[in-house]
Amino acid sequence: MKILLLNGVNLNMLGRRDPKFYGTDTLSQLEDKVVSYASQRGATVQCRQSNCEGELVNILQQTDCDAVIFNAGAYSHYSYALRDCIECISVPVAEVHMSDVDNREQFRRNDVLADVCVARFTGKGTRSYLDAVDFFTAK
Ligand code: DQA
């Protein structure tokens, strides 16, 4: 199985964002953990990150992976472009958030991607991503 690990806006700033919500790992340390965890489960992982909504749409539309683990960052709360994209591609997308978005500010409770994704993992830091790996590799 080939998994696309796609991180969206501001996730390149991991390691410099509030550790209370996002831990201390940088994006590349997080990616290394996901790659190594997935490889123990027989999956390969392609890692991508973009701050640009349209670029994230392009990456999703063009992916040849079997599954996507996607943290869209703040776009999750309002991007109908990403929602429409996920709805029309055939590859399954699992939504991930490091922080517990349902118990933070009110605006983070609005999630326009949730019902077009096949699963949602929140509030566990890096473990949210690893749970998404488990979800796809258990199938
Ligand atoms: C986030 C939560 C979002 O609300 C926020 O805008 C992010 C990160 C998370 O991983 O917890 O950038 O997606």
Side-chain angles (χ1 to χ4, degrees):
M1 159 168 289
K2 205 158 67 169
I3 297 173
L4 171 65
L5 170 60
L6 182 58
N7 278 291
V9 62
N10 290 313
L11 275 311
N12 59 313
M13 298 297 282
L14 288 178
R16 284 184 278 168
R17 297 184 76 177
D18 190 337
K20 179 168 88 227
F21 295 118
Y22 305 115
T24 54
D25 281 352
T26 63
L27 178 60
S28 90
Q29 289 168 329
L30 168 74
E31 288 171 343
D32 286 349
K33 286 181 181 172
V34 175
V35 167
S36 125
Y37 188 83
S39 86
Q40 290 162 34
R41 281 150 189 83
T44 59
V45 178
Q46 180 188 11
C47 302
R48 302 287 303 272
Q49 188 275 332
S50 177
N51 290 321
C52 303
E53 187 181 29
E55 178 63 15
L56 293 165
V57 168
N58 286 339
I59 293 168
L60 286 166
Q61 286 181 2
Q62 289 160 17
T63 188
D64 64 355
C65 289
D66 307 300
V68 180
I69 296 173
F70 187 26
N71 184 349
Y75 289 141
S76 317
H77 309 304
Y78 63 90
S79 175
Y80 296 115
L82 283 167
R83 181 199 159 83
D84 283 353
C85 174
I86 293 167
E87 191 172 35
C88 73
I89 60 174
S90 51
V91 56
V93 178
E95 179 184 11
V96 160
H97 296 284
M98 302 193 87
S99 64
D100 183 6
V101 282
D102 298 318
N103 288 293
R104 293 181 62 189
E105 301 95 323
Q106 187 64 37
F107 76 89
R108 292 185 208 276
R109 292 181 196 189
N110 190 46
D111 186 336
V112 302
L113 307 184
D115 68 342
V116 291
C117 290
V118 295
R120 187 172 187 260
F121 302 96
T122 69
K124 293 194 192 165
T126 304
R127 186 71 233 178
S128 298
Y129 291 86
L130 304 184
D131 284 351
V133 172
D134 284 340
F135 173 79
F136 284 125
T137 55
K139 275 185 171 179

